[in-house]
Amino acid sequence: MPLKLLKCDESIPEREKHVYIKEKGEDTTQFLPLSNIETIPGSLSERGCSYCGAKLVIGGVLKDTIQMIHGPIGCAYDTWHTKRYPSDNGHFQLKYVWSSDMKESHIVFGGEKQLRKSIIEAFAEFPDIKRMIVYTTCATALIGDDIRAVVKSVQQELGDVDIFCVECPGFAGVSQSKGHHVLNIAWINEKVGTLEPEITSPYTINVIGDYNIQGDTFVLEKYMEKMGVQIIAHFTGNGTYDSLRGMHRAQLNVTNCARSAGYIANELKKRYGIPRLDVDTWGFDYCQEALRKIGAFFGIEDRAEAVIAEEVAKYQDKMNWYKERLKGKKVCIWTGGPRLWHWTKALEDDLGMQVVSMSSKFGHQEDFEKVIARGQEGTIYIDDGNELEFFEVLEMIRPDVVLTGPRVGALVKKLHLPYINGHGYHNGPYMGFEGAVNMARDLYNAIYSPLMQLAAFDVRDDQPKVAAATTNGKQSEDLSGQVQSITTYIQERCLWQFHSRAWDREENINGVIKKATELLNGEKSSQETLTDKLYYADAKILVSELKRNLPWIKDLNKAQVKSVLETVKQNLVGIAISGSLNGELHHSLY
């Protein structure tokens, strides 16, 4: 189906290019909603500003760093204590917020003296803290305050402090995504490589794009500790300022939120040769896959399997219990960007739920490629959705629950529909095995809450239409059927085909398919370089899953394997590169 104009958008017909409903046989070479562009006038956007993307999402999570906001007090207040990012040092970053508290007089006469005074005062009040990030805001960027000159002067005066500048006022981009990019690139340009970390393990990684929402990072740390893998730096959940300066010494970048932190993962690969392994750590099945890939990369598969066995034994029965009760329930995922494609298959595969609509606030074309590849026929995809569109879509699909943020959640509750906080969680963590159970529990409690049943009015029909049952059917075992089966599986499950640059995608597709061909044919596969190990890890898990889900593949001879996978490779290149509608693939910043 072409891009769709909703009834509520008839007065702003440009919105047609931002809404898509997937039909059978369609892929992202045919339809891709516009995204990461300016909000259309007349549409009430749910987006945040660029400064918010830098401070609230990334920098403000660091547990040992003063966050100095150079601007009016409201900019500090609006990004303080609104995210559930705990830390193991008493939640320092949640307790305090710092601001230069710009007034009208400072705007007229300049605020550099006020900033200098505020920085020195903050360090004096917190003598044990020696690290700071200074952010510009709309007001201070407009009047042209030179924060770098102020910071240089203070560092020379105090001597033992280190200060990082983020020049990303709210108006700098179309959404908070611009702030992600600015902080990522500035950090690798100015701070990475300026401190040597202590290496305590032969296996070292950076965890990139995890912000410890309700303890997510603690879950991942536990798994890595059991596997004997040292996390050099967390970008930035429960992380420290100085650990991020040593990111250049890791052997592998394990990337979770590719939208907020894919930029620094790309640059670490480009500048230091550190491979980027994209994983899904939300989801019971996905988490097993992520640990197996890390184990395969380092050659410690036995340790990964031991962790998986221990966790599955603890939580599988609980997952089965929730699946029986959540199977067939319809869910909308209306969040920022990456969780759309992280969560869709996890909810469908782990719990048997049906994802019927996905909306992104700040996702890029790359994010929509991933989520459309993973989504089912009939699913509605929306970029930069507004309240009227949400009302109309809710009427169209009648979901059982909505995963979204508190603002849209308030709207949903007025319609007597349950919602789960997809930004900060209800009762997390949501990552890992226990996190998958926590998420299932919250979904179950929301859907089956007696309060929903006692609501005076329900927008749903007494007899809602039952979604047509979908069946996979028996796959044709001719060549085209085999190729399509493998292509579909990879499109739905594998993130390595969707990196931010065209050349990076091509390298990954060629490398992983080559290794998969060697593994399926029992041939020796080189693992001499870090890149070889990365492709091997992805290919090993891919081959294992293909054998499990498409058992006929084990009956192919060597020539057939090479022929089928070569055609699969051509298909992936056609969909993800040459036929892609994602203009950012060739952008100079990517």
Side-chain angles (χ1 to χ4, degrees):
M1 166 179 272
L3 301 175
K4 181 177 178 61
L5 181 67
L6 297 173
K7 291 180 180 179
C8 64
D9 290 330
E10 290 177 354
S11 60
I12 43 174
E14 299 92 336
R15 282 295 299 167
E16 179 180 9
K17 297 179 181 179
H18 296 261
V19 182
Y20 167 62
I21 303 178
K22 186 175 182 179
E23 285 197 357
K24 185 176 182 180
E26 293 178 351
D27 59 41
T28 52
T29 65
Q30 299 159 283
F31 299 105
L32 193 63
L34 290 182
S35 59
N36 194 40
I37 61 176
E38 292 180 354
T39 295
I40 300 169
S43 177
L44 183 61
S45 175
E46 291 288 331
R47 287 172 168 173
C49 72
S50 300
Y51 148 75
C52 176
K55 193 275 175 184
L56 179 63
V57 177
I58 302 179
V61 186
L62 291 174
K63 65 183 180 181
D64 66 342
T65 305
I66 292 172
Q67 307 287 326
M68 179 63 67
I69 295 92
H70 184 37
I73 193 65
C75 296
Y77 183 79
D78 190 50
T79 55
W80 170 55
H81 219 169
T82 59
K83 285 281 190 177
R84 301 173 184 178
Y85 297 151
S87 63
D88 59 8
N89 66 337
H91 318 304
F92 173 78
Q93 78 285 6
L94 295 181
K95 292 179 180 177
Y96 303 104
V97 64
W98 298 264
S99 172
S100 59
D101 191 20
M102 294 281 284
K103 306 294 187 183
E104 289 86 345
S105 61
H106 301 128
I107 300 299
V108 174
F109 297 108
E112 292 178 7
K113 291 182 180 179
Q114 178 73 1
L115 174 61
R116 176 183 172 83
K117 175 185 174 184
S118 299
I119 293 174
I120 293 175
E121 180 181 339
F123 278 125
E125 289 294 324
F126 297 89
D128 295 334
I129 304 297
K130 302 296 183 180
R131 302 294 180 256
M132 177 183 288
I133 300 179
V134 177
Y135 303 85
T136 56
T137 58
C138 293
T140 51
L142 283 170
I143 64 174
D145 277 356
D146 188 350
I147 67 170
R148 291 185 179 275
V150 175
V151 164
K152 183 178 179 180
S153 172
V154 171
Q155 287 187 132
Q156 290 174 345
E157 178 180 336
L158 298 183
D160 61 346
V161 301
D162 198 285
I163 306 174
F164 175 59
C165 297
V166 179
E167 298 182 88
C168 191
F171 59 74
V174 300
S175 73
Q176 54 262 59
S177 182
K178 179 66 174 182
H180 305 157
H181 180 267
V182 168
L183 192 150
N184 276 233
I185 299 303
W187 186 267
I188 196 165
N189 284 341
E190 300 173 24
K191 296 301 178 183
V192 172
T194 60
L195 184 143
E196 290 297 321
E198 180 184 359
I199 305 299
T200 59
S201 168
Y203 317 114
T204 57
I205 66 172
N206 294 317
V207 174
I208 295 180
D210 164 50
Y211 304 106
N212 202 30
I213 303 174
Q214 283 206 5
D216 279 349
T217 297
F218 301 144
V219 174
L220 301 182
E221 283 179 338
K222 177 179 65 177
Y223 300 156
M224 292 302 101
E225 183 178 348
K226 290 180 179 179
M227 290 172 60
V229 175
Q230 178 188 358
I231 301 175
I232 287 184
H234 288 280
F235 194 93
T236 51
N238 199 42
T240 66
Y241 186 103
D242 282 349
S243 69
L244 297 184
R245 297 165 68 192
M247 295 178 77
H248 60 300
R249 292 305 182 199
Q251 296 163 288
L252 179 67
N253 289 318
V254 177
T255 306
N256 196 60
C257 180
R259 179 73 284 123
S260 65
Y263 312 101
I264 199 166
N266 288 344
E267 292 304 311
L268 286 166
K269 177 179 179 179
K270 180 176 159 185
R271 303 185 193 193
Y272 296 98
I274 307 172
R276 166 183 165 178
L277 176 65
D278 284 34
V279 297
D280 297 277
T281 50
W282 286 294
F284 203 82
D285 190 36
Y286 274 151
C287 192
Q288 296 179 57
E289 187 175 291
L291 295 181
R292 287 188 173 115
K293 286 183 179 181
I294 296 170
F297 178 87
F298 288 117
I300 52 174
E301 293 96 329
D302 55 335
R303 300 185 188 182
E305 292 301 331
V307 173
I308 291 169
E310 179 183 353
E311 297 297 315
V312 168
K314 285 193 289 187
Y315 296 110
Q316 184 68 70
D317 288 345
K318 294 180 180 179
M319 285 298 291
N320 293 341
W321 190 91
Y322 286 117
K323 183 172 184 177
E324 282 297 312
R325 290 152 180 84
L326 293 173
K327 193 172 183 180
K329 298 297 184 183
K330 294 190 292 184
V331 58
C332 297
I333 307 175
W334 294 344
T335 54
R339 286 178 212 164
L340 276 66
W341 43 267
H342 276 305
W343 284 348
T344 176
K345 290 296 288 178
L347 294 178
E348 290 176 352
D349 293 350
D350 291 347
L351 297 172
M353 302 183 78
Q354 181 186 0
V355 180
V356 291
S357 175
M358 288 175 256
S359 175
S360 169
K361 288 184 184 179
F362 57 81
H364 290 219
Q365 301 284 268
E366 173 190 325
D367 299 294
F368 277 101
E369 285 182 296
K370 293 174 184 175
V371 72
I372 290 173
R374 288 183 164 183
Q376 296 182 359
E377 297 165 20
T379 301
I380 303 170
Y381 304 90
I382 311 170
D383 166 67
D384 192 18
N386 60 60
E387 289 190 4
L388 292 180
E389 291 172 346
F390 291 146
F391 275 121
E392 186 169 333
V393 170
L394 288 172
E395 182 64 27
M396 290 169 61
I397 58 182
R398 309 296 176 90
D400 294 289
V401 66
V402 180
L403 276 160
T404 187
R407 282 180 292 180
V408 178
L411 157 71
V412 170
K413 286 192 291 184
K414 290 176 182 178
L415 300 178
H416 304 154
L417 291 171
Y419 100 96
I420 297 296
N421 188 346
H423 297 160
Y425 308 164
H426 267 52
N427 300 283
Y430 280 178
M431 275 190 187
F433 300 94
E434 65 186 272
V437 173
N438 291 341
M439 190 176 189
R441 176 205 58 212
D442 285 351
L443 288 165
Y444 171 82
N445 287 341
I447 292 172
Y448 289 98
S449 168
L451 291 176
M452 290 287 95
Q453 300 172 22
L454 293 171
F457 175 72
D458 194 331
V459 297
R460 293 169 290 184
D461 295 331
D462 291 336
Q463 298 295 329
K465 295 179 180 179
V466 179
T470 58
T471 58
N472 294 325
K474 185 178 180 180
Q475 291 287 349
S476 170
E477 293 192 4
D478 61 11
L479 180 61
S480 61
Q482 293 165 351
V483 168
Q484 187 56 49
S485 297
I486 298 173
T487 302
T488 299
Y489 179 86
I490 292 174
Q491 278 271 285
E492 290 181 346
R493 297 284 301 191
C494 301
L495 296 177
W496 42 261
Q497 65 190 308
F498 290 121
H499 282 196
S500 302
R501 300 177 172 110
W503 63 265
D504 208 1
R505 291 186 178 192
E506 186 170 10
E507 285 185 358
N508 282 349
I509 291 170
N510 289 336
V512 175
I513 295 299
K514 180 177 182 292
K515 294 289 186 188
T517 302
E518 293 169 351
L519 290 172
L520 280 169
N521 284 338
E523 300 170 358
K524 186 176 180 180
S525 185
S526 170
Q527 298 182 54
E528 295 180 0
T529 68
L530 293 177
T531 301
D532 286 335
K533 292 180 179 180
L534 177 76
Y535 295 152
Y536 173 79
D538 272 319
K540 183 170 184 179
I541 304 308
L542 173 62
V543 167
S544 174
E545 291 301 302
L546 289 177
K547 286 181 177 179
R548 183 166 68 91
N549 293 284
L550 306 174
W552 48 260
I553 202 168
K554 291 180 284 188
D555 298 327
L556 300 180
N557 59 42
K558 290 186 177 182
Q560 290 172 324
V561 167
K562 288 185 177 181
S563 176
V564 168
L565 288 189
E566 179 61 32
T567 309
V568 168
K569 182 175 75 175
Q570 294 171 8
N571 283 357
L572 294 175
V573 170
I575 295 171
I577 303 173
S578 58
S580 174
L581 300 178
N582 180 358
E584 293 181 351
L585 287 180
H586 308 284
H587 196 287
S588 60
L589 292 177
Y590 298 96

